[in-house]
Amino acid sequence: MVNCNDTIRLSNVGIEDHEVANSSASEKSVPLRSAMVGAVIFCLEALRRLQANARDRKVLQHLDDNALKDVGMTRADRDQELSRTLWTGLPPRR
C-alpha cells in the first residue's frame, strides 16, 4: 500500500504559506474601471430584457384564441401575464 505523504511532496508549501494565501490581505480589489464596465453591462442587459419583455407582451396581446391554444395558454393566462410589470423576472443586482 502506498502512503500519500510519500508520493506527493510539496517542499516549499507549509502551513504558514496556506494561512497567508487565505487571508483577506491577499484579496485583490476591483479597479474602478472594471466596476464601471460591469455596471454598464448590467444596465444594458437589463434594458435588453425589458425591451424583450415589452415586445413579447405586445405580441401576446394580439394573439387570438386559436394561437393562444397553440402555445398552451388561455385568455386568463394571457391577461395575468399582461397584468405583470415589465421588470418582473429581471435578475437582482448583486
Side-chain angles (χ1 to χ4, degrees), residues 9-79:
R9 296 208 183 249
L10 300 173
S11 59
N12 59 348
V13 176
I15 294 174
E16 297 82 19
D17 295 334
H18 181 70
E19 290 173 357
V20 171
N22 290 334
S23 70
S24 61
S26 66
E27 294 178 12
K28 295 182 180 178
S29 63
V30 177
L32 179 62
R33 184 175 181 179
S34 295
M36 288 173 50
V37 168
V40 168
I41 290 172
F42 176 83
C43 290
L44 291 175
E45 181 66 19
L47 286 174
R48 186 196 63 79
R49 288 185 184 195
L50 285 172
Q51 192 175 32
N53 284 351
R55 182 186 61 241
D56 293 345
R57 289 174 189 208
K58 186 175 182 180
V59 169
L60 188 61
Q61 186 177 12
H62 296 293
L63 292 179
D64 62 352
D65 289 334
N66 290 333
L68 286 172
K69 186 177 178 182
D70 287 344
V71 295
M73 292 182 80
T74 64
R75 279 186 179 261
D77 295 335
R78 181 190 71 175
D79 294 340

